[in-house]
Amino acid sequence: MKRIGLLTSGGDCQALNAAMRGVVKGLYENIEDLEVYGFLNGYKGLIYCDYRRLDSRDFSGILTKGGTILGSSRVPFKTIHVPDEKGLDKVAAMKQTYNRLTLDCLVILGGNGTQKTANLLREEGLNILHLPKTIDNDIYGTDITFGFQSAINIATDAIDCIHTTAASHNRVFIVEVMGHKVGWLTLYAGIAGGADIILLPEIPYDTDKVIDAINKRSQAGKGFTILAVAEGAISKEDAALSKKEYKKRVANRMFPSVSYEIADQIMKASGQEVRVTVPGHTQRGGSPCPADRVLCTRLGSAAAKAIIDEDYGYMIGMVNGNTKRVPLKDVAGKLKVVEPDCQMIKEAKRTGISFGI
Ligand code: F6P
């Protein structure tokens, strides 16, 4: 007999349901008696004891379904020790819910912030497993996160569509790609979509170099230029500011995002027509791609095996093609960023892609 809880926390992505299905199928197939509790809307469900009893039927037909059947919310880690408006101690409340349901394990699906709270609950003595979810691919200790590959497909489609219209009108186009503070999604979608210039948070750009790259293409008779710009891209001047100064600068920026600012600078310096496209949350939506379905089935199944083995306190990651139990204590709070001098960047540069430096 096992009682397990599931919750999905933070920004959603395409393969959350696929991952939960993997866990639950892996358990139902191998355990006689199983009770599954799904906490609603992320950590809120655990704090306020808001849950649904689920059975195997709830996990049928959801492999291809985007979003999360449990709902999600953001409860930032920095607020976890702050009592709620009624003075409730959130950590104590989460432990109480877990103990009241006499859970054997809580499986938490989420990104970096979610993982920090998962590790805190582990430190508080709960049996925790974490599954690495995010389109940003920035979770340390796993080669890949789920949602990432589906989001690459969508962002690449956006760049593909821009290509044809950019070529017809001889325009400069900027496609702004999600990814929070890291550039993985922009790097992959940018290369896959044939972007000429890729700007990442990890490689602060020089505006003059960006404009030079556009002018070089024009001089070579190429009428259009496509830039894939990460939402967190930063100029070298801004990168030199302190965190506080940079926050102030962003708050006072007269543009909705970095892409619009770059567009303005390009228009002024080159006289070229520039358009900005922001696919935004479409990158997190729709059905998971086949690669994510496979990844989640494997991660979910590996989590089920850890539960069967009663071996807790891990993120179930993917390392060198194999699932791996990665101790949460070793990875919580760490970020996986694009290394500016990694092989992939060097290879991209060799094909003529400019990183604005
Ligand atoms: O972490 C996933 C992500 O989509 C980031 O790429 C993006 O910066 C952020 O979430 C957007 O958050 P929200 O959905 O709260 O606007």
Side-chain angles (χ1 to χ4, degrees), residues 100-301:
R100 185 184 301 168
L101 297 173
T102 58
L103 295 180
D104 291 295
C105 174
L106 177 61
V107 182
I108 298 174
L109 294 82
N112 276 307
T114 299
Q115 189 190 58
K116 284 193 237 174
T117 303
N119 187 46
L120 172 72
L121 294 175
R122 178 195 67 78
E123 287 166 351
E124 292 286 328
L126 309 194
N127 294 334
I128 300 293
L129 290 174
H130 168 243
L131 293 179
K133 164 246 61 160
T134 172
I135 65 166
D136 304 339
N137 194 35
D138 59 353
I139 298 183
Y140 191 84
T142 182
D143 294 346
I144 196 154
T145 60
F146 59 89
F148 178 53
Q149 297 175 95
S150 303
I152 292 172
N153 289 358
I154 296 170
T156 303
D157 274 351
I159 300 173
D160 286 350
C161 291
I162 289 302
H163 243 115
T164 54
T165 177
S168 308
H169 288 272
N170 284 332
R171 282 171 171 162
V172 175
F173 261 96
I174 297 179
V175 180
E176 183 173 292
V177 180
M178 270 190 173
H180 198 42
K181 292 181 182 160
V182 302
W184 293 107
L185 188 52
T186 309
L187 179 61
Y188 275 75
I191 293 175
D196 309 296
I197 300 171
I198 297 178
L199 303 183
L200 309 178
E202 294 89 339
I203 307 178
Y205 62 85
D206 178 334
T207 310
D208 292 337
K209 292 277 165 50
V210 172
I211 291 158
D212 283 353
I214 295 169
N215 289 338
K216 204 171 138 200
R217 277 181 59 82
S218 305
Q219 283 150 18
K222 294 171 183 169
F224 70 93
T225 298
I226 294 183
L227 291 86
V229 173
E231 61 177 350
I234 185 166
S235 67
K236 66 180 187 14
E237 291 81 15
D238 285 349
L241 298 175
S242 70
K243 223 172 163 183
K244 200 171 155 199
E245 287 169 331
Y246 178 62
K247 269 192 171 171
K248 195 170 156 202
R249 150 112 173 85
V250 169
N252 294 331
R253 187 156 62 192
M254 52 185 284
F255 300 97
S257 72
V258 64
S259 298
Y260 290 90
E261 184 167 53
I262 296 171
D264 185 66
Q265 289 164 335
I266 297 171
M267 275 189 282
K268 284 183 179 142
S270 71
Q272 297 216 41
E273 247 192 302
V274 188
R275 295 286 187 273
V276 177
T277 294
V278 184
H281 288 76
T282 62
Q283 293 162 98
R284 289 204 330 228
S287 186
C289 68
D292 263 337
R293 296 177 203 178
V294 174
L295 175 65
C296 284
T297 304
R298 293 188 62 189
L299 293 176
S301 170

